[in-house]
Amino acid sequence: MEVLIIIVIVILVIILAKYNNLVKARNKVRQAESGVDVYLNQRFDLIPNLVECVKAYSKHEQSIFTEVTNLRSAYMKQPSNIKNAENLNNKMNQLIAVAENYPELKASEQYLNLQKTLTKLESQLQAARRIYNAEVTNYNNKLDVVPSNLIASLFGFKHAQLFEIEEYKRENISIKFED
């Protein structure tokens, strides 16, 4: 009788251990899926905002240079015109102040920053997808091997799907800078 009780206890411990391992594996899949969602949301929400930011700054910088160029041309046509000289001087001071106070706001640096951000985000998303697929494979393997498969079917564990992106998200994001 004692042997039978010991066997039942051992079987229950094995079942509980296998069940807990399956639950942990399923939770890792959910966590990895959440990581992919975070990067997808960041890609689809943040990147367009970054692009708009860079576009806005580029237009601002371009307008200052255009205005300085126009004022310089006006001054060169009429060098004795004090108003033209004053306007050119004020705009040059504004341009110098911007460059001195915000040297990091040069368009070329903004474009480089945007490019680095895009590359970093895509790398993070790719890594999150790999982690997710590894966790799904680990979980699904636990569902398929003996004796875990018996416990999984007894408690209704279902296979997880490997990462599949929605069709419209498979395409690279097109970034267009329009004038």
Side-chain angles (χ1 to χ4, degrees), residues 66-90:
T66 302
E67 197 170 342
V68 166
T69 302
N70 291 340
L71 289 171
R72 184 175 177 271
S73 295
Y75 176 73
M76 295 303 281
K77 289 179 184 173
Q78 296 178 341
S80 59
N81 187 324
I82 300 296
K83 188 68 175 165
N84 286 347
E86 198 174 292
N87 288 341
L88 178 59
N89 188 48
N90 290 338

Side-chain angles (χ1 to χ4, degrees), residues 34-96:
S34 175
V36 171
D37 286 343
V38 166
Y39 290 118
L40 283 174
N41 285 333
Q42 192 174 9
R43 182 171 92 175
F44 285 100
D45 295 340
L46 179 65
I47 296 302
N49 291 335
L50 286 173
V51 170
E52 289 303 315
C53 178
V54 171
K55 282 172 53 177
Y57 183 73
S58 295
K59 287 180 181 176
H60 170 70
E61 184 177 341
Q62 185 176 4
S63 69
I64 289 175
F65 283 122
T66 302
E67 197 170 342
V68 166
T69 302
N70 291 340
L71 289 171
R72 184 175 177 271
S73 295
Y75 176 73
M76 295 303 281
K77 289 179 184 173
Q78 296 178 341
S80 59
N81 187 324
I82 300 296
K83 188 68 175 165
N84 286 347
E86 198 174 292
N87 288 341
L88 178 59
N89 188 48
N90 290 338
K91 190 50 72 177
M92 289 298 291
N93 287 339
Q94 182 183 357
L95 183 61
I96 290 168

Side-chain angles (χ1 to χ4, degrees), residues 57 61 99 102-111:
Y57 183 73
E61 184 177 341
Y102 306 101
E104 72 280 359
L105 292 181
K106 294 184 173 114
S108 61
E109 291 178 25
Q110 290 297 312
Y111 288 118

Side-chain angles (χ1 to χ4, degrees), residues 1-165:
M1 187 64 144
E2 289 179 17
V3 174
L4 186 60
I5 292 173
I6 291 174
I7 292 173
V8 169
I9 289 174
V10 168
I11 291 173
L12 285 175
V13 168
I14 291 171
I15 289 172
L16 288 174
K18 294 296 180 185
Y19 176 83
N20 287 338
N21 284 335
L22 290 170
V23 169
K24 289 176 186 176
R26 182 179 60 195
N27 289 340
K28 284 184 177 183
V29 168
R30 290 176 180 163
Q31 180 184 12
E33 183 178 25
S34 175
V36 171
D37 286 343
V38 166
Y39 290 118
L40 283 174
N41 285 333
Q42 192 174 9
R43 182 171 92 175
F44 285 100
D45 295 340
L46 179 65
I47 296 302
N49 291 335
L50 286 173
V51 170
E52 289 303 315
C53 178
V54 171
K55 282 172 53 177
Y57 183 73
S58 295
K59 287 180 181 176
H60 170 70
E61 184 177 341
Q62 185 176 4
S63 69
I64 289 175
F65 283 122
T66 302
E67 197 170 342
V68 166
T69 302
N70 291 340
L71 289 171
R72 184 175 177 271
S73 295
Y75 176 73
M76 295 303 281
K77 289 179 184 173
Q78 296 178 341
S80 59
N81 187 324
I82 300 296
K83 188 68 175 165
N84 286 347
E86 198 174 292
N87 288 341
L88 178 59
N89 188 48
N90 290 338
K91 190 50 72 177
M92 289 298 291
N93 287 339
Q94 182 183 357
L95 183 61
I96 290 168
V98 167
E100 286 176 354
N101 293 329
Y102 306 101
E104 72 280 359
L105 292 181
K106 294 184 173 114
S108 61
E109 291 178 25
Q110 290 297 312
Y111 288 118
L112 289 174
N113 186 37
L114 176 63
Q115 184 180 18
K116 286 177 189 175
T117 302
L118 285 168
T119 302
K120 181 180 176 184
L121 186 59
E122 288 301 317
S123 294
Q124 290 171 330
L125 180 57
Q126 191 176 56
R129 287 175 181 155
R130 280 193 303 270
I131 291 167
Y132 173 78
N133 283 341
E135 294 296 343
V136 166
T137 300
N138 181 45
Y139 172 70
N140 287 343
N141 286 341
K142 289 182 181 201
L143 296 182
D144 293 336
V145 297
V146 176
S148 295
N149 64 344
L150 301 172
I151 308 302
S153 63
L154 179 66
F155 290 102
F157 284 86
K158 304 288 182 206
H159 282 82
Q161 296 295 313
L162 291 172
F163 183 80
E164 292 183 22
I165 191 168

